[in-house]
Amino acid sequence: MSETADPLDSQLIELLAAEPRVGVLERLDRLHARGVVTGYGPDVNPVALGYRVTGFVTLEIRQAGGHDPVAGRLAGIPEVLEVHTITGPGDMLCRVVARTNADLQRVIDAIVAVAGVVRASTVIALATPVPYRVLPLVKVAAAAGG
């Protein structure tokens, strides 16, 4: 059974030929240590778990307490997928999921109940024409020399 090498096979062979002492796992370890590769886990689709609604919640928080305590409490809400501190009219931006629009109200109520949250403003995502991605960025960074 003879198969030709695909482009990935070719790149790996070229890498091993250029640096025969650096194995693929060593290369991954180096990328991980430098913070380029941040994880190896599976990407999980919330829709497949029954969370069909995605929302983005902009929060205004009480400045006296700071961002960290609020972020820590938000991390305790499973439907809060990520939290960013931001500039602009709000202080934090959360990506959240819910099973339905009505369930989104429960999630928002849980967020607003977090100590330090003053106000929340929510938008619902209708579609995701460009999902989260980094490979184009990796290619550009590599072409620019890192």
Side-chain angles (χ1 to χ4, degrees):
M1 173 176 188
S2 177
E3 252 184 59
T4 60
D6 66 21
L8 178 59
D9 293 335
S10 176
Q11 289 175 337
L12 287 173
I13 291 168
E14 286 178 34
L15 171 65
L16 291 171
E19 298 183 46
R21 299 181 61 125
V22 177
V24 173
L25 292 178
E26 273 186 63
R27 172 68 60 143
L28 280 173
D29 286 343
R30 285 177 32 194
L31 288 169
H32 189 266
R34 290 184 9 230
V36 176
V37 173
T38 59
Y40 301 97
D43 289 332
V44 177
N45 183 355
V47 173
L49 299 176
Y51 294 91
R52 293 181 291 280
V53 177
T54 297
F56 294 90
V57 183
T58 302
L59 301 178
E60 292 177 25
I61 66 168
R62 202 170 303 111
Q63 297 296 317
H67 294 92
D68 291 344
V70 174
R73 291 188 277 277
L74 290 170
I77 301 171
E79 294 86 358
V80 174
L81 301 183
E82 57 186 320
V83 178
H84 303 268
T85 58
I86 59 172
T87 62
D91 301 307
M92 300 180 100
L93 180 68
C94 307
R95 180 164 60 120
V96 302
V97 293
R99 295 184 180 281
T100 63
N101 285 351
D103 187 44
L104 181 59
Q105 182 65 60
R106 176 191 60 78
V107 175
I108 294 167
D109 289 346
I111 290 170
V112 172
V114 166
V117 172
V118 175
R119 184 176 188 284
S121 175
T122 305
V123 295
I124 296 174
L126 299 177
T128 308
V130 180
Y132 179 80
R133 64 202 182 116
V134 293
L135 289 181
L137 190 61
V138 169
K139 289 179 181 178
V140 169

